[in-house]
Amino acid sequence: MLKTAWNEWSLKALQLETALLALEEIELPEELHALQDSAEEKVLELARAWKARQPAKEARTWERQTLPAGAPQDAELQELVAGFREDNKEWTLLRATSDKREVVETVVSEGRACMAAGGEYYLGQWDAQDSVLEVGRDDESGEPGTGLVLEPTGELQYAPDPEL
């Protein structure tokens, strides 16, 4: 994902929400419930304080290209595409270039995708209807994913929990 204040903040907010959910789901003995409740309150307090620091998304203008059988600029994605050629698989390259000269490339094939954004690589299920990458998700192997959903521009799709 892109290295932006919004993405960094959102990632931490998701981690705090996940910690809170985990605390709520742990089935501890009765004598530990008071400690568990106290921990939940502290994490909730932390999550609320973090939510108050929510930055604005940085404005960017994107040029988007959809290139059936396109050639990526990224070396790792070039290797992936070379394998697709050998296997006679079809793919589409999605390239987004920002006015800040950031380039995000996503290779999509058979409902799966690999994205190169911000110097990192993300694999997962491609949701064609919403045009997003669900990181780590793989319906064929039953992998639910990480909960991270990336736009084709490398921006994290996240809406803060309104109850925090």
Side-chain angles (χ1 to χ4, degrees):
M1 82 184 94
L2 293 181
K3 305 291 185 225
T4 66
W6 168 258
N7 280 348
E8 295 297 322
W9 179 88
S10 296
L11 187 58
K12 287 178 175 79
L14 274 168
Q15 290 168 328
L16 286 169
E17 285 182 23
T18 301
L20 191 57
L21 287 172
L23 276 171
E24 291 172 359
E25 295 297 318
I26 297 173
E27 294 183 25
L28 296 173
E30 184 71 36
E31 63 270 13
L32 296 177
H33 283 192
L35 282 173
Q36 182 178 3
D37 291 345
S38 175
E40 284 180 35
E41 276 304 312
K42 286 293 186 188
V43 173
L44 188 56
E45 182 181 334
L46 180 62
R48 286 181 178 138
W50 187 248
K51 184 178 179 184
R53 298 178 61 150
Q54 179 179 339
K57 285 188 176 184
E58 296 173 30
R60 286 177 169 73
T61 303
W62 292 94
E63 177 188 325
R64 299 172 191 242
Q65 297 173 294
T66 301
L67 307 165
Q73 297 169 352
D74 180 85
E76 296 289 328
L77 294 182
Q78 288 173 1
E79 288 181 30
L80 180 66
V81 164
F84 288 165
R85 281 189 187 106
E86 289 175 11
D87 297 339
N88 292 319
K89 285 187 176 181
E90 293 183 11
W91 74 91
T92 299
L93 173 67
L94 306 175
R95 183 179 295 131
T97 306
S98 78
D99 55 343
K100 297 182 180 190
R101 298 183 185 241
E102 299 154 314
V103 176
V104 178
E105 291 186 311
T106 307
V107 174
V108 179
S109 180
E110 299 176 359
R112 305 268 304 134
C114 181
M115 176 184 286
E120 301 289 332
Y121 297 90
Y122 303 92
L123 302 169
Q125 193 85 27
W126 181 255
D127 183 326
Q129 182 176 352
D130 293 334
S131 294
V132 294
L133 171 63
E134 297 182 28
V135 179
R137 182 174 154 209
D138 186 346
D139 289 348
E140 287 182 21
S141 64
E143 292 292 329
T146 63
L148 298 179
V149 178
L150 294 172
E151 302 282 340
T153 56
E155 296 171 298
L156 193 56
Q157 190 178 73
Y158 174 72
D161 185 339
E163 295 186 19
L164 289 180

